[in-house]
């Protein structure tokens, strides 16, 4: 499956958000064993990125990115998070 340019940027944003979440976890801003795990921040940030991108593109939310692009962005973001922090919890 080929992703569009917007979907490729969204996947890259997922990777960047995973790196930001790991930075925040390693700095102590996000608790590793807290009630709100770090990977939830990646998920919520991806939702915010999608909403902002759909508003900028003047399309309804959910119409700009395909589901495989969303899943890939989340999996790669969580993978980068786990790789840089040494785990998910």
């Amino acid at each position: 499956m080929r992703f569009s340019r917007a979907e490729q940027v969204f996947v890259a944003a997922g990777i960047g958000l995973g790196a930001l979440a790991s930075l925040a976890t390693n700095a102590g801003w996000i608790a590793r064993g807290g009630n709100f795990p770090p990977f939830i921040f990646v998920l919520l940030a991806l939702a915010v990125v999608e909403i902002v991108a759909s508003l900028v593109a003047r399309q309804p939310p959910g119409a700009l990115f395909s589901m495989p692009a969303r899943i890939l962005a989340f999996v790669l973001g969580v993978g980068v998070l786990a790789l840089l922090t040494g785990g998910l919890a």
Side-chain angles (χ1 to χ4, degrees):
M1 168 172 219
R2 297 189 76 101
F3 292 130
S4 67
R5 176 71 66 190
E7 290 172 334
Q8 291 174 0
V9 171
F10 185 69
V11 170
I15 294 169
L17 291 170
L20 282 175
S22 69
L23 176 71
T25 302
N26 290 336
W29 298 333
I30 299 174
R32 288 182 192 247
N35 293 333
F36 213 59
F39 69 89
I40 297 296
F41 285 103
V42 175
L43 182 65
L44 293 176
L46 280 172
V48 170
V49 167
E50 183 170 359
I51 290 171
V52 169
S54 66
L55 289 175
V56 168
R58 296 179 188 240
Q59 291 188 3
L64 191 58
F65 306 118
S66 65
M67 188 55 73
R70 290 182 190 128
I71 293 171
L72 183 64
F74 180 65
V75 167
L76 289 177
V78 170
V80 167
L81 172 69
L83 183 69
L84 295 178
T85 58
L88 292 177

